[in-house]
Amino acid sequence: MAGTPDFDLYRPSEEHDMLRDTVRSLAEAKIAPHAAAVDEEARFPQEALDALVSSDLQAVHVPETYGGAGADALATVIVIEEVARVCASSSLIPAVNKLGSLPVILSGSEELKKKYLGPLAKGDAMFSYCLSEPDAGSDAAGMKTKAVRDGDFWVLNGVKRWITNAGVSEYYTVMAVTDPTKRSKGISAFVVEKGDEGVSFGAPEKKLGIKGSPTREVYLDNVRIPADRMIGEEGTGFATAMKTLDHTRITIAAQALGIAQGALDYAKGYVQERKQFGKPIADFQGVQFMLADMAMKISAARALTYQAAAASERVDPDLTYLGAAAKCFASDIAMEVTTDAVQLLGGYGYTRDYPVERMMRDAKITQIYEGTNQVQRIVMARNLP
């Protein structure tokens, strides 16, 4: 029955637990040592990409048919969660690879899948998602980027904004208007390549957090692409985009979950070592209550996120609600927990010598992208189970 959870469907299996151990070890050894520098220098975390690719963890969601691991939605969540625990910027490598390529998986032709999913699975390319525009954020259907048919080609013109990993990714799923008279039903999806003539990128945005993941505008100036690069049928792009977000909002919940867990883990270790009034501050009830609340909220967010991942895997009727709920709840919790972690470290927490202030800055974006949490509440209200 829709709305009635079957807990066995989203309880991590032994294989999931082994995957978690593998990713955590890799993240702590190969990604964590560079996290502070990546943030400080606002540079792409190449070390993380190399480490993930070497272990085939950069795009575990790609089906085995196209050379991928064929991991389920919960496994993808675990990968993102464990990477985000040490470096939120790096977790956007597997997260955005799924976001960018899922439209092809959901709606693309067999030819498109073979052409673009193989290099993604091998680690030879990354995939980004181009939906938002300068004047089309929450109102994505109000986009102005156009695609005009010209024989066996489509010619794209427009600007996409807030594009994660832009300039690094080789492939871009681009939503564009093919029939201006039909609003959302006049939007189509295309695969655009970085090397296509007319594709260029704006300067990297100077952001509060996730500084290691480049966010740039993507400019499309008479970009001429073969007609077979359309994803699905003409006019189905917006529906594909929304269906994609139903699944990928769960990856943002996973990122938020990892950030929160990383902040709690660090704060827990700190309060056991920091002494005031002759004893560790972990002995004070006020501190203990803060830690208990942080852990409790993370546990609740994890349960909801894993439930949503199970719904994603079986395409549950309640997926739209659960994806929005997981993203909204986990990101709100991440903001609360990271703020409390900074508080527990006192003045030290406010400095860049300690990682919790970075985690607090990184957490904020999870309440904003892939639909603000205000929009998530609208989505939930319209899709109550």
Side-chain angles (χ1 to χ4, degrees), residues 71-344:
D72 62 20
L74 181 53
T76 304
V77 159
I78 288 170
V79 170
I80 295 166
E81 178 186 350
E82 288 301 322
V83 176
R85 180 174 164 268
V86 301
C87 180
S89 292
S90 298
S91 72
L92 285 165
I93 294 170
V96 176
N97 275 340
K98 181 169 183 176
L99 174 64
S101 64
L102 197 58
V104 174
I105 294 173
L106 291 174
S107 305
S109 66
E110 193 61 25
E111 290 72 24
L112 279 185
K113 291 176 183 177
K114 288 177 180 176
K115 181 174 182 179
Y116 292 109
L117 297 180
L120 177 64
K122 291 178 184 176
D124 293 338
M126 288 169 55
F127 230 121
S128 288
Y129 184 78
C130 299
L131 178 64
S132 297
E133 295 185 5
D135 295 317
S138 295
D139 179 20
M143 68 178 64
K144 294 183 173 64
T145 294
K146 291 183 179 179
V148 177
R149 187 73 185 247
D150 182 16
D152 292 333
F153 295 86
W154 286 92
V155 180
L156 278 64
N157 282 280
V159 179
K160 293 296 180 177
R161 179 169 282 180
W162 312 123
I163 308 307
T164 305
N165 292 338
V168 178
S169 294
E170 286 293 326
Y171 307 142
Y172 299 81
T173 290
V174 175
M175 305 297 165
V177 177
T178 48
D179 186 343
T181 67
K182 295 183 179 179
R183 194 166 161 76
S184 66
K185 292 184 179 179
I187 293 171
S188 303
F190 302 86
V191 177
V192 172
E193 299 179 9
K194 179 180 177 180
D196 288 334
E197 187 175 352
V199 175
S200 60
F201 306 95
E205 301 288 348
K206 297 177 181 178
K207 307 189 298 290
L208 174 72
I210 58 163
K211 293 184 177 182
S213 177
T215 304
R216 303 168 71 176
E217 288 188 325
V218 177
Y219 303 127
L220 305 164
D221 183 13
N222 288 321
V223 177
R224 187 179 177 86
I225 62 173
D228 61 9
R229 286 219 226 139
M230 178 181 280
I231 302 170
E233 298 297 320
E234 183 177 346
T236 63
F238 192 78
T240 295
M242 295 303 102
K243 191 183 301 183
T244 295
L245 294 177
D246 283 345
H247 293 275
T248 59
R249 281 172 177 150
I250 301 162
T251 67
I252 302 306
Q255 182 189 39
L257 192 56
I259 295 169
Q261 188 66 58
L264 174 60
D265 290 347
Y266 194 89
K268 185 169 63 174
Y270 177 87
V271 299
Q272 290 168 347
E273 295 179 3
R274 172 68 170 171
K275 292 184 178 179
Q276 291 289 274
F277 306 102
K279 58 182 178 181
I281 62 174
D283 290 349
F284 293 99
Q285 190 179 67
V287 170
Q288 292 171 353
F289 282 6
M290 286 182 71
L291 290 168
D293 282 344
M294 293 160 75
M296 174 178 65
K297 292 171 182 177
I298 291 172
S299 294
R302 181 171 287 113
L304 181 54
T305 300
Y306 288 11
Q307 182 184 1
S312 170
E313 190 60 29
R314 61 180 186 260
V315 196
D316 191 286
D318 292 338
L319 173 59
T320 300
Y321 166 80
L322 287 169
K327 189 269 186 191
C328 184
F329 186 73
S331 59
D332 282 351
I333 292 306
M335 202 66 238
E336 290 180 31
V337 167
T338 54
T339 302
D340 283 348
V342 170
Q343 188 71 21
L344 284 169

